[in-house]
């Protein structure tokens, strides 16, 4: 049924992707060849090529139309069937294994601007690993997510005005759909009474927004626990439940994300970037950046300039 719904001719592919260059991976980093003047690339892919372990700064979504497609991310293998959806977060090392024949849509987006929006931090744990969305794993929202992706595809291969704005509005809708599904269907605080759940979610949204606004400053676990109104012990446990991350891991993640943006500016030195994003020393910055991105800040900057 999905295969009948999703149709795209090679003429459409050529018309909208005539400027496309083949996927290029250099030292595990893929340079994303976005459409000229855009930060989106969607294509109808029927290649039987495999891609060795690599990463990129774009969000990638894979949706097979004919035959399966395999991906390995964080040592977990995903066998994606037609109509199923795999969302690969930015910076995630993954490799792709294609069957001998088959067709699928590949979506790639630069979401750096979206991640700066207030409230997006609450969705961050959703993008800490890949999401395999099927009618079984996400029954409440599967059809909604599928329809949003199909609308994005229709806009991309169409000739409507404001095409990129429409696609990003649909992408925002997709994130909201995923976020609300998480809040509605997952017991984030299993040891907290039901009537307290909403209160705790609101408190931790406030905490996340505070961290996002003050990550450049010296923030300690004691300070944030006091801000939240919980003891350090309870804050540590509840923060982990809410974000699936420790406080210091989340703080480091936020700082590295900010550093990624600044590294694209050649007039700033790496030391300036480290200090302006809240790191106490260049050595700490280099170490944590390497842990999270599998490359040094200098290497990342060269990738950005190359891209």
């Amino acid at each position: 049924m999905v295969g009948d719904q999703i149709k795209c001719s090679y003429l459409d592919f050529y018309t909208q992707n005539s400027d496309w260059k083949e996927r290029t991976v250099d030292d595990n980093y893929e340079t994303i060849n976005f459409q000229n003047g855009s930060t989106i690339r969607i294509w109808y892919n029927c290649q039987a090529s495999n891609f060795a372990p690599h990463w990129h700064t774009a969000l990638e979504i894979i949706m097979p139309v004919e035959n399966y497609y395999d991906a390995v991310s964080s040592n977990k293998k995903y066998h994606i069937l037609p109509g199923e959806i795999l969302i690969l977060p930015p910076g995630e090392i993954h490799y792709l294994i294609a069957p001998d024949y088959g067709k699928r849509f590949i979506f790639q987006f630069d979401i750096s601007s979206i991640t700066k929006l207030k409230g997006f931090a609450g969705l961050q744990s959703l993008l800490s690993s890949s999401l395999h969305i099927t009618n079984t794993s996400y029954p409440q929202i599967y059809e909604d997510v599928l329809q949003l992706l199909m609308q994005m595809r229709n806009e991309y291969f169409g000739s409507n005005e404001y095409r990129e704005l429409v696609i990003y509005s649909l992408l925002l809708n997709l994130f909201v759909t995923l976020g609300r599904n998480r809040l509605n269907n997952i017991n984030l605080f299993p040891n907290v009474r039901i009537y307290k759940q909403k209160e705790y979610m609101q408190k931790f949204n406030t905490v996340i927004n505070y961290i996002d606004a003050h990550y450049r400053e010296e923030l300690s676990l004691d300070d944030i626990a006091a801000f939240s109104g919980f003891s350090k012990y309870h804050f540590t446990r509840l923060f982990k439940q809410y974000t699936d991350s420790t406080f210091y891991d989340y703080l480091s993640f936020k700082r590295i994300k900010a550093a990624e943006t600044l590294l694209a500016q050649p007039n700033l030195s790496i030391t300036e970037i480290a200090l302006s994003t809240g790191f106490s020393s260049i050595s700490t910055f280099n170490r944590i950046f390497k842990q999270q991105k599998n490359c040094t800040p200098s290497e990342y900057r060269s990738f950005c300039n190359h891209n």
Side-chain angles (χ1 to χ4, degrees):
M1 180 182 70
V2 173
D4 292 335
Q5 291 175 310
I6 302 177
K7 295 184 182 296
C8 175
S9 70
Y10 284 104
L11 179 60
D12 290 331
F13 170 82
Y14 178 78
T15 301
Q16 297 299 347
N17 290 301
S18 58
D19 65 323
W20 186 73
K21 302 174 184 178
E22 65 179 18
R23 301 185 73 168
T24 55
V25 178
D26 181 19
D27 195 23
N28 295 336
Y29 177 81
E30 179 181 357
T31 299
I32 302 300
N33 297 304
F34 288 119
Q35 189 175 32
N36 287 338
S38 171
T39 53
I40 300 169
R41 176 72 71 183
I42 303 174
W43 71 91
Y44 186 59
N45 175 276
C46 59
Q47 297 172 322
S49 305
N50 297 332
F51 290 91
H54 65 283
W55 66 278
H56 41 69
T57 58
L59 176 83
E60 182 166 357
I61 301 176
I62 300 170
M63 187 169 67
V65 176
E66 178 185 282
N67 211 355
Y68 67 90
Y69 202 62
D70 287 332
V72 178
S73 173
S74 297
N75 297 318
K76 183 176 180 179
K77 185 173 182 178
Y78 298 90
H79 186 66
I80 323 160
L81 299 175
E84 297 181 350
I85 299 153
L86 183 69
I87 300 179
L88 294 158
E92 184 85 355
I93 292 183
H94 58 282
Y95 63 94
L96 307 174
I97 307 165
D100 293 337
Y101 72 94
K103 300 171 185 175
R104 76 284 311 177
F105 281 101
I106 308 290
F107 301 70
Q108 289 185 330
F109 306 94
D110 178 352
I111 63 168
S112 56
S113 296
I114 293 178
T115 60
K116 298 173 185 175
L117 294 176
K118 185 176 182 179
F120 188 86
L123 303 175
Q124 198 59 64
S125 61
L126 284 171
L127 296 179
S128 61
S129 60
S130 299
L131 293 176
H132 188 190
I133 298 177
T134 72
N135 207 10
T136 301
S137 62
Y138 289 83
Q140 296 91 346
I141 61 169
Y142 166 75
E143 288 293 338
D144 292 336
V145 172
L146 179 63
Q147 289 301 320
L148 286 167
L149 289 171
M150 290 170 65
Q151 289 178 62
M152 291 181 209
R153 176 217 65 196
N154 291 343
E155 288 290 337
Y156 187 87
F157 289 106
S159 56
N160 298 327
E161 294 292 329
Y162 309 115
R163 185 177 56 152
E164 187 166 347
L165 287 176
V166 173
I167 291 173
Y168 270 110
S169 71
L170 292 167
L171 183 61
L172 281 170
N173 199 338
L174 187 151
F175 285 136
V176 170
T177 299
L178 291 170
R180 287 179 173 169
N181 180 71
R182 174 176 178 265
L183 294 179
N184 292 336
N185 295 284
I186 296 177
N187 187 0
L188 294 176
F189 306 108
N191 299 317
V192 176
R193 293 181 185 274
I194 296 297
Y195 73 90
K196 281 281 190 180
Q197 293 272 338
K198 186 174 182 180
E199 177 187 334
Y200 277 33
M201 284 190 286
Q202 290 173 340
K203 278 192 174 185
F204 277 91
N205 275 336
T206 300
V207 167
I208 292 296
N209 288 333
Y210 183 85
I211 296 171
D212 288 354
H214 297 273
Y215 67 87
R216 297 178 182 87
E217 303 168 16
E218 290 187 22
L219 296 181
S220 70
L221 178 58
D222 290 325
D223 294 336
I224 299 301
F227 173 80
S228 72
F230 294 106
S231 69
K232 185 165 70 172
Y233 169 79
H234 283 97
F235 173 82
T236 299
R237 177 172 55 82
L238 294 170
F239 189 89
K240 175 71 172 176
Q241 290 173 351
Y242 186 70
T243 65
D244 198 28
S245 172
T246 68
F247 161 69
Y248 284 113
D249 283 346
Y250 180 82
L251 180 60
S252 294
F253 174 84
K254 182 66 184 177
R255 287 170 170 171
I256 292 299
K257 280 296 178 186
E260 288 177 24
T261 302
L262 295 178
L263 284 166
Q265 302 179 25
N267 58 309
L268 295 175
S269 71
I270 290 177
T271 299
E272 288 175 316
I273 292 171
L275 297 178
S276 66
T277 51
F279 290 96
S280 58
S281 68
I282 185 66
S283 60
T284 301
F285 174 57
N286 286 335
R287 175 175 53 81
I288 294 177
F289 196 98
K290 178 76 171 178
Q291 287 175 352
Q292 290 194 21
K293 306 303 300 181
N294 295 287
C295 66
T296 67
S298 296
E299 290 169 340
Y300 186 90
R301 167 168 273 175
S302 68
F303 293 144
C304 291
N305 292 338
H306 179 64
N307 193 24

